[in-house]
Amino acid sequence: MAKDQHIPFVRNIGIMAHIDAGKTTISERILYYSGKSHKMGEVHDGESTMDWMEQEKERGITITSAATTTEWRDHQITLIDTPGHVDFTVEVERSLRVLDGAVAVFCAVGGVQPQSEQVWRQSVKYSVPKIAFINKMDRISADYFGVTEKIQSTLGANAVPVVIPIGAESNFAGIIDLITMRAFYYSGDKDEDVDERDVPADLLENAQRWRTNLVEKCAEQDEELLEKFLEGKTLSEEEIRGIIRAATIDQRVVPVFCGSAFKNKGVQHLLDGIVDFLPSPADKEPIIRPEGDSARPPTVKAPFSALAFKVVSDKHMGKLTFIRIYSGKIDSGTTVYNSTQGNSQRIGRILRMHANLQEALEEASCGDIVAVVGLAKTRTGDTLCSKDDPIVLERIEFPAPVMSISIKPASRIDRDKLSDGLHSLSDEDPTFVVNYDHETSEMIISGMGELHLEIIVDRLKREFSVDAEIGRPEVAYRETATAGRDGQYKHSKQTGGRGQYAHVCLRTEPLDPGSGFEFVNKVKGGNVPSEFIPAVEKGIIKAMVSGPYAGYPVVDMRVTLHDGSSHDVDSNEFAFIEAARVCFRDLFMKGLPELLEPVMSLEITTPEEYLGNVTGLIFQRRGRIDSMDQQGEIKVVRGFAPLSEMFGFAGTLRSSSQGRANFSMHFEHYEAVPYSIAEEIVKKRREDDKIR
């Protein structure tokens, strides 16, 4: 089959859901029934194919998205299993950006859970068509129709059942296909055998009612079919499948399936739904940057274009770059143009991934999702294309980190390894940010939550052999004076030879917040020689770098030099620096100093039922609320809180809202620390001997 003719037979899909809804188990069953693997890997045994990282096996959760390719009914299916934990939302974000369709998994007991809403919003953002699979129908309190209704009411989706369950909980025996009106029962030691039968008489009335619902939903999507339906004519199976497919691709309906992946029920029908209803690359166009580039046709003959959506460090292969090819093709050894960065790079090898295993390919073409070796300078979100026909695809937007901790090497030997490891991990994960705070001399790492940073530290130890110590980062406080003072200081030392002499008279005044530092020279008559004036300013600045109150930088001060004296022989630059430094420190401490702390502006989105919890958390952290707005069923709370009180806030907010509230924050301004708290900070600083 020619390459372009093959594209309609390609499906690039993701599995997305709340944590523990069964995504990885479904992925394992898809691989088993499609013949890709010959053993059903179980998450609880730590033997699943897709959860291959040691951290995933130990915790029983998906941390990084894993890709694999299999076949079903002569269709090539590239499958990406994404994490469900909110800390690893970056994996969902970048996967949905390059996928053509998705399977949204819901627990038949838990229904539409908090992270279900989050990943659903992400899929809507990238216009990804979806089918739904209601899993765990064998569990106590499983409710297929209740969850379907929740998908409609909570997510605003036009959820249309295409199958209904036969029984529920321990009596869940199979499904009825509403398109063919056939019943499928599961048997065998592991329920892996499927027995097709007529719909039992006692279930026929209910099945016909739901088939009528399916046909009505289909007819609503097409005028010709609606007219045919109203005339009482029967819609064929091909017509029903065709309109469901078209409406799914247009995101007008979400077909709903059900089963129990762990008990091997319903997965084959889900595979049929993936092939029948989700789009191929030919059905979608790449997202082009809005600067006027025209979309490329999804064909092999079109100029090459691809998006790098993930970067991984492999200890055997080096840097692997995952790409989605939107048009054209590439061969091993091809030189491609990175239009985002403006450089050319050579592709060394092309690999088809099966979780952490690799299959070498000679070429890859439109519609393929592959990993390539050799793109050392390519980062997540970069566009790769032909230099003769450049194009820029829209980059991936990632959420800002919400939690930070300090990290330092346990020994001098670990110092270089820590730097290399952090650099490598930040290349892989755009939501993991590394900064060095020059004020506090701390390395600060930031991520999406406590588990995210815990995994980062664990990977540093296992993959890079780095022992690191972590701790709560030190807040970058400031200090200022609240009253002006006049004073003088005479620096005079005699050491037997040439001595040191400098005399300065200074006046300090507080300035408005945010004004910074202002030095004024009002010396008259040359009492302080002009060549030493810069030394006076330098001495003041030296004293302000580490303030006398708590050792933090001094801000918002005006210092005026209005008099002084010098010695013809003993005066020098060093003497005036020292005189100005000591004089400023003395006047500052007499000027009623106060500590300033960074205050962050907050924006919290929460369902209204958790509004009381959210506002309570803000007040507990010395915060204040500025405004509250309504966005649909969501409340948006805006306010301010000191940075020192915000450590650990992400985890507390999630636990107080069942994971359904989210927040962002950024620096706003500095404010005075309450006196009692300031005294505790100063006392601790003195004990740590940080005030020099």
Side-chain angles (χ1 to χ4, degrees):
M1 184 183 295
K3 286 289 184 181
D4 278 343
Q5 293 177 326
H6 174 65
I7 292 174
F9 293 88
V10 172
R11 300 289 183 272
N12 293 318
I13 66 156
I15 310 287
M16 64 180 202
H18 185 86
I19 190 170
D20 201 35
K23 298 179 303 302
T24 301
T25 302
I26 290 172
S27 300
E28 295 295 324
R29 298 307 187 265
I30 287 175
L31 295 179
Y32 177 78
Y33 286 115
S34 63
K36 184 68 177 181
S37 61
H38 303 289
K39 178 185 176 183
M40 297 184 191
E42 303 294 359
V43 175
H44 60 273
D45 292 334
E47 295 183 356
S48 67
T49 302
M50 303 300 275
D51 284 351
W52 57 270
M53 291 176 65
E54 290 300 321
Q55 293 87 346
E56 293 176 317
K57 293 178 180 180
E58 291 172 358
R59 291 167 173 81
I61 62 171
T62 301
I63 292 171
T64 183
S65 56
T68 188
T69 301
T70 187
E71 290 190 0
W72 183 257
R73 286 173 36 193
D74 298 324
H75 284 68
Q76 174 185 300
I77 299 175
T78 296
L79 170 71
I80 296 182
D81 177 25
T82 65
H85 197 287
V86 66
D87 279 17
F88 308 105
T89 186
V90 61
E91 297 291 338
V92 183
E93 190 84 20
R94 59 178 160 201
S95 298
L96 289 174
R97 169 63 179 83
V98 298
L99 292 171
D100 299 319
V103 177
V105 180
F106 300 90
C107 173
V109 180
V112 180
Q113 296 166 286
Q115 192 62 10
S116 307
E117 298 178 50
Q118 174 67 17
V119 296
W120 192 275
R121 285 195 293 267
Q122 288 172 293
S123 71
V124 171
K125 172 183 174 181
Y126 291 114
S127 301
V128 178
K130 294 166 286 293
I131 60 178
F133 184 79
I134 298 176
N135 192 28
K136 303 186 179 183
M137 284 298 304
D138 59 312
R139 294 284 183 91
I140 295 174
S141 300
D143 184 359
Y144 175 73
F145 299 107
V147 175
T148 300
E149 187 178 330
K150 274 289 187 183
I151 294 172
Q152 294 183 12
S153 61
T154 305
L155 302 177
N158 185 13
V160 181
V162 293
V163 303
I164 59 172
I166 300 173
E169 301 180 345
S170 60
N171 296 320
F172 177 58
I175 60 173
I176 296 173
D177 186 327
L178 298 177
I179 298 177
T180 62
M181 285 298 285
R182 300 288 291 169
F184 296 85
Y185 289 83
Y186 299 91
S187 60
D189 293 339
K190 295 183 178 180
D191 289 325
E192 70 273 20
D193 299 325
V194 184
D195 181 18
E196 182 179 345
R197 309 178 197 171
D198 292 333
V199 177
D202 60 327
L203 301 177
L204 188 58
E205 182 180 349
N206 189 48
Q208 287 176 335
R209 181 166 62 87
W210 281 101
R211 189 178 197 274
T212 300
N213 173 75
L214 172 64
V215 173
E216 286 179 354
K217 294 285 188 181
C218 289
E220 290 171 2
Q221 307 300 320
D222 186 280
E223 289 186 8
E224 290 184 11
L225 291 184
L226 180 59
E227 185 176 339
K228 185 176 180 179
F229 174 74
L230 294 174
E231 290 174 356
K233 297 179 181 179
T234 302
L235 302 186
S236 68
E237 293 178 16
E238 290 74 19
E239 287 175 323
I240 293 174
R241 285 197 181 93
I243 193 59
I244 292 176
R245 175 178 175 79
T248 301
I249 292 172
D250 289 344
Q251 300 175 73
R252 288 179 279 126
V253 302
V254 176
V256 183
F257 295 80
C258 70
S260 170
F262 183 63
K263 295 293 181 65
N264 310 305
K265 297 176 180 178
V267 177
Q268 296 98 321
H269 262 75
L270 175 62
L271 276 164
D272 286 337
I274 290 169
V275 167
D276 289 339
F277 305 134
L278 289 179
S280 74
D283 297 310
K284 299 195 73 182
E285 292 183 344
I287 303 172
I288 308 299
R289 198 176 66 177
E291 268 76 0
D293 294 315
S294 58
R296 296 274 169 88
T299 65
V300 175
K301 294 180 181 178
F304 171 70
S305 65
L307 186 75
F309 68 95
K310 183 172 180 175
V311 175
V312 174
S313 296
D314 186 278
K315 60 183 178 181
H316 302 297
M317 305 294 295
K319 185 176 180 179
L320 295 179
T321 305
F322 285 73
I323 64 171
R324 158 68 195 267
I325 303 177
Y326 285 101
S327 62
K329 71 181 189 71
I330 51 170
D331 302 305
S332 293
T334 300
T335 297
V336 296
Y337 180 64
N338 186 324
S339 58
T340 306
Q341 298 190 26
N343 56 48
S344 296
Q345 300 171 55
R346 182 180 177 274
I347 292 176
R349 298 182 65 188
I350 304 173
L351 305 169
R352 175 159 285 150
M353 302 301 295
H354 181 49
N356 62 328
L357 304 177
Q358 300 128 4
E359 172 193 349
L361 301 175
E362 290 300 318
E363 64 175 21
S365 58
C366 177
D368 284 337
I369 293 177
V370 294
V372 296
V373 180
L375 305 182
K377 297 179 182 178
T378 296
R379 300 179 66 86
T380 299
D382 287 357
T383 299
L384 304 172
C385 59
S386 165
K387 192 169 186 178
D388 296 332
D389 295 280
I391 194 171
V392 179
L393 302 175
E394 187 175 313
R395 291 181 65 89
I396 309 171
E397 294 181 10
F398 296 109
V402 297
M403 182 180 179
S404 302
I405 59 174
S406 63
I407 187 168
K408 64 180 180 180
S411 67
R412 188 172 296 178
I413 299 173
D414 292 309
R415 187 175 301 163
D416 291 339
K417 291 192 294 183
L418 175 63
S419 178
D420 293 341
L422 291 175
H423 178 74
S424 180
L425 292 174
S426 63
D427 268 354
E428 288 187 20
D429 185 350
T431 60
F432 172 59
V433 178
V434 182
N435 289 304
Y436 184 78
D437 192 325
H438 292 279
E439 290 183 16
T440 61
S441 299
E442 289 181 316
M443 184 76 75
I444 306 296
I445 58 175
S446 305
M448 299 306 297
E450 293 178 26
L451 180 59
H452 186 198
L453 295 176
E454 179 187 323
I455 296 296
I456 290 289
V457 174
D458 192 50
R459 289 187 64 190
L460 283 170
K461 185 173 183 178
R462 297 191 192 207
E463 298 173 27
F464 299 93
S465 303
V466 176
D467 280 327
E469 299 174 1
I470 62 172
R472 177 169 166 155
E474 189 171 325
V475 174
Y477 292 101
R478 300 284 189 270
E479 50 190 82
T480 191
T482 58
R485 291 291 185 267
D486 269 288
Q488 60 177 313
Y489 179 76
K490 189 177 292 185
H491 177 76
S492 179
K493 286 191 176 181
Q494 202 67 35
T495 57
R498 184 173 179 179
Q500 293 182 24
Y501 179 89
H503 175 213
V504 294
C505 299
L506 302 179
R507 181 184 302 114
T508 60
E509 302 169 78
L511 296 177
D512 293 335
S515 300
F517 167 62
E518 184 180 334
F519 175 71
V520 180
N521 175 23
K522 286 192 175 181
V523 174
K524 296 179 181 178
N527 290 347
V528 178
S530 58
E531 64 265 29
F532 295 135
I533 300 298
V536 174
E537 183 177 5
K538 191 181 294 184
I540 295 168
I541 292 173
K542 185 177 181 181
M544 293 177 70
V545 169
S546 179
Y549 182 40
Y552 294 106
V554 176
V555 295
D556 303 332
M557 296 289 295
R558 176 188 292 127
V559 182
T560 303
L561 172 65
H562 58 85
D563 205 356
S565 62
S566 64
H567 188 276
D568 291 341
V569 177
D570 292 342
S571 290
N572 54 45
E573 182 183 17
F574 175 79
F576 274 97
I577 289 175
E578 188 64 12
R581 186 185 74 82
V582 176
C583 187
F584 174 81
R585 290 176 66 88
D586 180 55
L587 295 178
F588 183 83
M589 290 303 292
K590 293 176 180 177
L592 306 178
E594 68 179 4
L595 206 58
L596 304 175
E597 63 183 346
V599 172
M600 314 301 287
S601 63
L602 309 176
E603 182 174 291
I604 305 173
T605 56
T606 177
E608 191 162 0
E609 60 200 273
Y610 303 108
L611 182 61
N613 294 351
V614 168
T615 55
L617 289 177
I618 295 174
F619 294 138
Q620 288 170 18
R621 283 164 167 74
R622 295 195 285 120
R624 61 184 185 272
I625 294 173
D626 185 54
S627 67
M628 286 191 221
D629 297 313
Q630 190 86 24
Q631 290 183 359
E633 298 180 356
I634 299 295
K635 281 283 188 181
V636 181
V637 182
R638 296 180 178 87
F640 305 92
L643 175 62
S644 61
E645 302 288 346
M646 294 305 294
F647 298 116
F649 182 73
T652 306
L653 179 66
R654 288 172 191 162
S655 62
S656 299
S657 63
Q658 295 187 7
R660 298 177 68 183
N662 292 293
F663 88 106
S664 61
M665 67 178 183
H666 64 267
F667 171 75
E668 188 68 25
H669 56 256
Y670 273 87
E671 285 184 9
V673 180
Y675 180 76
S676 59
I677 297 175
E679 286 300 296
E680 291 179 11
I681 295 170
V682 173
K683 180 180 178 182
K684 187 176 185 305
R685 293 281 286 184
R686 293 185 188 280
E687 289 173 353
D688 294 341
D689 196 27
K690 290 185 177 180
I691 303 179
R692 295 178 293 277

